[in-house]
Amino acid sequence: MACPKWGLYLCERLDGASLTVSETSKVDCWFEVWLIPETRRMTIFEGKTVGSIFNVEIERATQVVVDTVRDALEEKLAACRT
C-alpha cells in the first residue's frame, strides 16, 4: 500500500526540544539558543558540536504573524510612495 502524501512529513523525533533564541544575526546568518541543564540532559544536544546538522522547525503561528505584519507594512509603504 502506498504511503499517503502527508506521510512524507513524518519522522521520528530527533532533537525534540523547544528552544529559546537568545541572539541572532541576519547579516551573518546565525542564531544562538539557550539550553538549560535539563534540556541538555534529556536530548542529544550535549553531543553536538559546531557544524553539526539540526532539523529546525519554525512554529506555524510565528510564520503567520511575521508574514502578515510584513505584508501589511509593505502594502502601507507602497501606498505612501504613490
Side-chain angles (χ1 to χ4, degrees):
M1 173 162 74
C3 182
K5 286 186 179 183
W6 55 263
L8 297 172
Y9 303 104
L10 299 178
C11 66
E12 293 179 21
R13 187 178 75 143
L14 299 175
D15 300 325
S18 294
L19 302 175
T20 300
V21 176
S22 58
E23 192 174 349
T24 63
S25 172
K26 292 181 181 177
V27 173
D28 297 323
C29 195
W30 60 265
F31 64 95
E32 179 179 286
V33 297
W34 291 337
L35 295 174
I36 61 171
E38 182 67 5
T39 299
R40 292 174 66 173
R41 187 178 74 76
M42 296 297 293
T43 65
I44 63 173
F45 287 117
E46 192 65 24
K48 297 291 186 177
T49 60
V50 172
S52 292
I53 296 174
F54 288 87
N55 177 48
V56 176
E57 297 177 12
I58 307 301
E59 182 183 22
R60 182 66 185 137
T62 300
Q63 289 177 311
V64 170
V65 168
V66 169
D67 290 348
T68 301
V69 169
R70 183 197 61 232
D71 293 347
L73 287 173
E74 286 176 359
E75 211 174 282
K76 196 71 152 172
L77 289 172
C80 290
R81 290 184 199 122
T82 56

